[in-house]
Amino acid sequence: MSSEAPVETGAGVRTLVLISCVKDKLPHPAPAVELYRGFFFTSSLRYALSLGPDAIYILSGKYGLLALDDPVEPYDLNLGEQPQAYRDEWSARVMAALRRVSQPAVDHYILLVEPPYRDGLIPHLGHVSIPFAGLNLAEQEERYRAWYGSAHP
């Protein structure tokens, strides 16, 4: 669904951060970066911004790859609760979208998403970092709170 222009082949290595959608959303349509609410979303966005990437995208269980300014309708869908066939189709859609905005074999991807949102993508991405690999949500929250305090960033 991402609205950004395609990347030229051979444009050099770029860094892209993929952050996850969250359950807490506005009750009305809004740009993706405004639709998602809550501590985890705002903390992961703040962390992503601090990395100085070339681009940040949101992985939505319903819509796939979203640019921050993509208009989005509220929804209630958790990718981890979907059947494997849905997750496989979702991963294929996200990879097709990533190919339009990046070079999956060349670019560096920083994944700030849980396993259901990354497992189908990692085999197709050449260079991946997962800063919170091995940490459960409580441990991730603890790390974010240590960095940003208890208030929403």
Side-chain angles (χ1 to χ4, degrees):
M1 184 168 180
S2 173
S3 61
E4 290 195 16
V7 170
E8 294 180 32
T9 304
V13 176
R14 297 172 66 229
T15 298
L16 295 89
V17 180
L18 305 181
I19 64 175
S20 183
C21 65
V22 294
K23 184 174 182 161
D24 190 15
K25 300 171 190 70
L26 291 174
H28 55 80
V33 72
E34 296 172 19
L35 180 80
Y36 301 105
R37 315 302 291 164
F39 181 81
F40 270 105
F41 183 77
T42 55
S43 295
S44 61
L45 178 61
R46 184 173 180 180
Y47 180 66
L49 289 166
S50 78
L51 299 173
D54 295 292
I56 299 171
Y57 292 95
I58 300 167
L59 293 181
S60 161
K62 179 174 183 179
Y63 295 109
L65 187 72
L66 295 171
L68 298 180
D69 61 350
D70 281 345
V72 182
E73 297 273 339
Y75 62 95
D76 186 17
L77 186 144
N78 182 323
L79 187 63
E81 297 172 354
Q82 303 309 305
Q84 187 62 49
Y86 181 93
R87 292 194 307 268
D88 291 345
E89 185 274 332
W90 179 89
S91 294
R93 277 191 299 128
V94 169
M95 284 308 306
L98 282 172
R99 284 184 201 95
R100 289 190 294 272
V101 298
S102 66
Q103 301 176 82
V106 175
D107 291 334
H108 177 224
Y109 299 86
I110 301 170
L111 306 181
L112 301 177
V113 298
E114 293 300 301
Y117 290 82
R118 66 181 186 235
D119 290 348
L121 305 178
I122 290 173
H124 307 286
L125 302 174
H127 307 279
V128 174
S129 298
I130 306 170
F132 299 118
L135 299 181
N136 64 37
L137 289 176
E139 293 166 328
Q140 290 176 44
E141 180 177 352
E142 184 178 304
R143 176 116 1 127
Y144 279 136
R145 289 194 188 282
W147 289 336
Y148 304 128
S150 60
H152 289 272

